[in-house]
Amino acid sequence: MRSTLSNARCYHFRMRRAGYVLAGGQSSRMGVDKARLLWEGEALLDRIAGEVCAAAGSVALIAPPGRYPDFRGRIYPDLRPGCGPLGGLETALSVTRADWNLVVACDLPRLSRTLLRRILDAAEASKSDCLVPVSGGRLQPLTAVYHRRCLLTIRRALDEGLFRLTEVLSRLDCTRWDVSEEEEALLWNVNTPAEWKILLQLDKGCQ
């Protein structure tokens, strides 16, 4: 897997914003590693990392050690393996040097840097603990922005054995941010071969 981040300034120092891609899942329903699926000739992980980096100014990966040896960027293993996305979010907020942290799953092929920048801008303007897009009436907590102050609440939830990210949001000052109808398709994620096939067919039909 060859990263496409060489053209972006993706430094990791004390900054206002940072970006993280979660790629620690098992992709059990897909049957293969979703991050390695090819979208327009590029590995899904590389494409999403590039968009996140362009929007946030940096990108790092939350993933098991050795899974993506060709990724040209920082990789952090989960502090609590097996705790799902909430564990990945805890890890990101533990290592970040930024106040506002864009956290994105690795299974969103159509994601765009333009939308991600808008989400980051809205998060900073909100001054909330986190800003979570709402698409099709559903919260999208894995395309969201979290202030580093969320870490303590997330850590406590995990200590209590709470692993559902949507439940933890109720403990935070969370701003819900409505996505336009035109942007909803950018937040489509894929979990199964059937969903992947449909998305590829839709994308081909739009060309």
Side-chain angles (χ1 to χ4, degrees):
M1 180 177 295
R2 183 177 178 80
S3 176
T4 59
L5 305 182
S6 57
N7 293 327
R9 296 172 62 96
C10 298
Y11 302 117
H12 196 78
F13 50 84
R14 184 71 175 93
M15 49 197 166
R16 197 174 82 249
R17 297 176 171 184
Y20 295 89
V21 177
L22 304 186
Q26 299 301 313
S27 302
S28 55
R29 286 192 285 169
M30 182 63 72
V32 297
D33 187 351
K34 290 188 286 187
R36 297 182 186 275
L37 294 171
L38 294 181
W39 181 262
E40 297 180 350
E42 185 178 25
L44 202 51
L45 176 61
D46 289 339
R47 168 176 157 61
I48 293 170
E51 297 302 297
V52 169
C53 186
S58 75
V59 66
L61 191 61
I62 309 298
R67 180 179 287 185
Y68 304 108
D70 296 333
F71 182 79
R72 295 191 295 184
R74 290 180 180 264
I75 301 177
Y76 297 98
D78 277 321
L79 297 175
R80 308 193 205 203
C83 289
L86 190 61
L89 179 55
E90 179 199 26
T91 302
L93 296 181
S94 296
V95 302
T96 190
R97 299 180 183 182
D99 290 328
W100 298 99
N101 299 276
L102 176 64
V103 179
V104 173
C106 68
D107 58 358
L108 298 140
R110 289 177 162 179
L111 204 58
S112 79
R113 64 191 65 186
T114 301
L115 175 60
L116 294 177
R117 287 191 188 111
R118 291 186 60 224
I119 293 172
L120 276 161
D121 290 343
E124 287 197 53
S126 76
K127 303 187 186 307
S128 302
D129 292 335
C130 60
L131 181 137
V132 180
V134 179
S135 176
R138 298 180 60 183
L139 288 169
Q140 305 294 329
L142 294 183
T143 314
V145 178
Y146 298 86
H147 195 278
R148 63 191 309 184
R149 62 175 167 263
C150 295
L151 176 59
L152 183 58
T153 299
I154 291 169
R155 188 171 283 162
R156 285 174 176 168
L158 287 167
D159 288 343
E160 295 169 11
L162 183 63
F163 303 111
R164 290 179 61 86
L165 185 48
T166 51
E167 293 181 19
V168 177
L169 292 179
S170 65
R171 301 186 179 190
L172 298 168
D173 178 13
C174 178
T175 293
R176 299 186 177 205
W177 190 76
D178 290 324
V179 173
S180 69
E181 290 186 14
E182 293 77 13
E183 292 170 329
E184 286 186 358
L186 301 179
L187 296 178
W188 288 355
N189 69 325
V190 290
N191 291 302
T192 67
E195 290 175 351
W196 180 244
K197 183 178 180 180
I198 290 171
L199 198 58
L200 287 174
Q201 291 173 339
L202 288 173
D203 186 65
K204 185 177 181 180
C206 292
Q207 294 177 1

